[in-house]
Amino acid sequence: MKLLIALASLFLCWAVVLSLSLPRRIVNCDDQEAHEVANIGLQHVNAIHKTGYKFALNAVDNIIVQPVPTGEIIYLELDLLETKCPSLSPTPLENCHVRPVIDQAVEGDCDMKLFKHNGTYTITKANCKSGLDSAENIRRICPDCPPLAPLNNTQVVHAVDVALHKFNGGNNTAFYLLREIGRGKIQSGISNSVHVEFVIAASNCSIDDASSGDATCVEETGPDAHFGACSGSVVKIQGTVDEDVSVQCTIYENQPGIVSQAGAPQVPLAPSQTNVGQPHFHHNLHHPSMGPHSSESNSAEHLSAHAGHAVKRSLTGEPVPPNVPLRPVCPGRKIHF
Ligand SMILES: *[C@@H]1O[C@H](CO)[C@@H](O)[C@H](O)[C@H]1NC(C)=O
Ligand SMILES: *[C@@H]1O[C@H](CO)[C@@H](O)[C@H](O)[C@H]1NC(C)=O
Ligand SMILES: *[C@@H]1O[C@H](CO)[C@@H](O)[C@H](O)[C@H]1NC(C)=O
Ligand SMILES: *[C@@H]1O[C@H](CO)[C@@H](O)[C@H](O)[C@H]1NC(C)=O
């Protein structure tokens, strides 16, 4: 009897599920609509990824549009590439150059779920991760290009330190603090050169305050809060003690809206990461700041679950004749590489 009731309710559930499952709407990965949704997803990812660099779209790997009675649920798989713009940079993403392969590119993957209702999208899930291109890949096209060094490498940390010191010794009025090390590369040979990229933040001290030695300088958070992006290199000829330090910084306009993360260390040397114990070479997209959505299950399983009972239908909802497979053209083409 119990079994019968169980079977009956199972059947009822199925009936409800089946009556609710509207035909999928076919959207190809390179349709304008797919790219529009992808850019909405990407904006969200860049907005919550507050360390490292902004990401740009490289390809829409998959898109599934499932109409539901209240709107549409969209499952997206995005292939992203790291740009050269720090996350804190006010530069619009369109103007940010993707890092070339010889710089050891960083690729990101995001599984996202969006809900479209009355023309507006809500992101209900974003699950991203990122990884470095292999060092072998760079060596193949550029045998002399050094791979990335860990962000906490002592030579990298030293180079950032002396480069920032040099910058603060220039004729700025504000005294800048290190906010984050973005990248480091070490090229050894007859001379040892260390190239670094880092982000700085204006402190509440003037250069004079700071050089007086007894001032406490913290990141400026008021209307004068602003940041800058620097690249520096420290070259040391073998057998000498002198270092040749060069540094260039771009100071951004005031960004009072972006206050330092509460409780963050004043001088965060390395980003907070999830897999402790491993040296970090880049700022992983899978960051705690991705919020609660990131820990949700991977939407790939939804993609396959939906693909499982995908029925062949035309855009108008009419069943299509058999042996005319109607599937979205995916993945889309790679925009960069
Ligand atoms: C739908 O969007 C339009 C325009 O954005 C708005 O005027 C309308 O109130 C919205 N309707 C609902 C039910 O949210
Ligand atoms: C000082 O600032 C001026 C104007 O911003 C610049 O042209 C000059 O190169 C700076 N000098 C040094 C030593 O950085
Ligand atoms: C900067 O702010 C900190 C904390 O509010 C304060 O202790 C310090 O005196 C300030 N420094 C200057 C130079 O005003
Ligand atoms: C860099 O960080 C990794 C992981 O936290 C750690 O194992 C390693 O000892 C650190 N290296 C240096 C030079 O601090």
Side-chain angles (χ1 to χ4, degrees):
M1 185 61 186
K2 266 188 185 148
L3 182 69
L4 212 64
I5 293 172
L7 278 176
S9 42
L10 196 69
F11 179 78
L12 266 174
C13 283
W14 262 111
V16 169
V17 167
L18 285 178
S19 69
L20 281 180
S21 83
L22 300 168
R24 263 169 55 184
R25 189 161 66 80
I26 300 289
V27 175
N28 300 316
C29 279
D30 275 335
D31 286 355
Q32 195 188 347
E33 180 181 351
H35 281 249
E36 272 167 24
V37 181
N39 281 318
I40 288 163
L42 180 60
Q43 268 171 27
H44 171 81
V45 170
N46 279 328
I48 58 178
H49 177 61
K50 293 207 167 33
T51 65
Y53 300 89
K54 296 185 191 194
F55 279 81
L57 184 66
N58 193 31
V60 178
D61 280 345
N62 205 356
I63 178 167
I64 287 172
V65 181
Q66 179 65 60
V68 291
T70 48
E72 284 183 329
I73 294 173
I74 302 165
Y75 298 97
L76 263 186
E77 274 180 34
L78 302 181
D79 175 10
L80 310 177
L81 283 173
E82 192 185 82
T83 68
K84 294 183 175 182
C85 290
S87 295
L88 278 170
S89 150
T91 310
L93 185 60
E94 309 84 85
N95 302 339
C96 295
H97 297 288
V98 161
R99 263 181 212 284
V101 177
I102 55 162
D103 277 359
Q104 198 163 12
V106 171
E107 197 182 314
D109 287 300
C110 290
D111 286 323
M112 307 190 78
K113 185 178 172 186
L114 297 89
F115 177 57
K116 185 183 184 186
H117 171 67
N118 190 23
T120 61
Y121 295 88
T122 316
I123 284 115
T124 59
K125 200 181 283 184
N127 197 345
C128 299
K129 60 184 183 339
S130 60
L132 278 185
D133 191 7
S134 72
E136 292 73 48
N137 209 14
I138 317 174
R139 249 177 252 126
R140 235 190 359 253
I141 52 168
C142 175
D144 294 333
C145 294
L148 287 179
L151 296 174
N152 67 347
N153 174 289
T154 46
Q155 292 190 60
V156 169
V157 173
H158 170 75
V160 168
D161 203 37
V162 293
L164 178 55
H165 185 75
K166 179 163 184 175
F167 181 69
N168 274 327
N171 57 9
N172 315 302
T173 47
F175 175 74
Y176 289 88
L177 294 169
L178 174 64
R179 187 171 166 107
E180 164 185 294
I181 298 179
R183 291 188 148 230
K185 276 191 211 173
I186 303 169
Q187 189 146 36
S188 31
I190 303 165
S191 64
N192 186 74
S193 45
V194 184
H195 302 277
V196 288
E197 285 181 33
F198 54 99
V199 173
I200 56 177
S203 74
N204 64 341
C205 290
S206 67
I207 293 285
D208 288 344
D209 291 335
S211 52
S212 77
D214 47 26
T216 311
C217 309
V218 299
E219 249 183 52
E220 185 70 74
T221 51
D224 293 331
H226 64 277
F227 305 94
C230 303
S231 66
S233 56
V234 174
V235 181
K236 194 172 178 189
I237 313 286
Q238 245 177 27
T240 68
V241 278
D242 289 342
E243 290 179 326
D244 187 8
V245 182
S246 61
V247 63
Q248 273 163 358
C249 298
T250 307
I251 301 297
Y252 304 138
E253 304 275 296
N254 288 12
Q255 289 167 278
I258 308 180
V259 290
S260 59
Q261 290 146 341
Q266 277 178 29
V267 182
L269 282 185
S272 53
Q273 298 276 351
T274 42
N275 51 344
V276 238
Q278 296 288 315
H280 308 302
F281 297 80
H282 82 291
H283 294 267
N284 202 303
L285 252 191
H286 188 87
H287 192 266
S289 72
M290 288 300 280
H293 297 323
S294 64
S295 58
E296 285 191 51
S297 67
N298 197 309
S299 68
E301 65 196 41
H302 298 272
L303 286 178
S304 51
H306 281 266
H309 71 185
V311 196
K312 288 176 195 161
R313 284 180 211 261
S314 75
L315 278 176
T316 56
E318 297 292 317
V320 294
N323 69 38
V324 180
L326 189 54
R327 12 172 110 242
V329 181
C330 282
R333 85 191 154 85
K334 291 203 184 291
I335 298 170
H336 301 281
F337 51 80

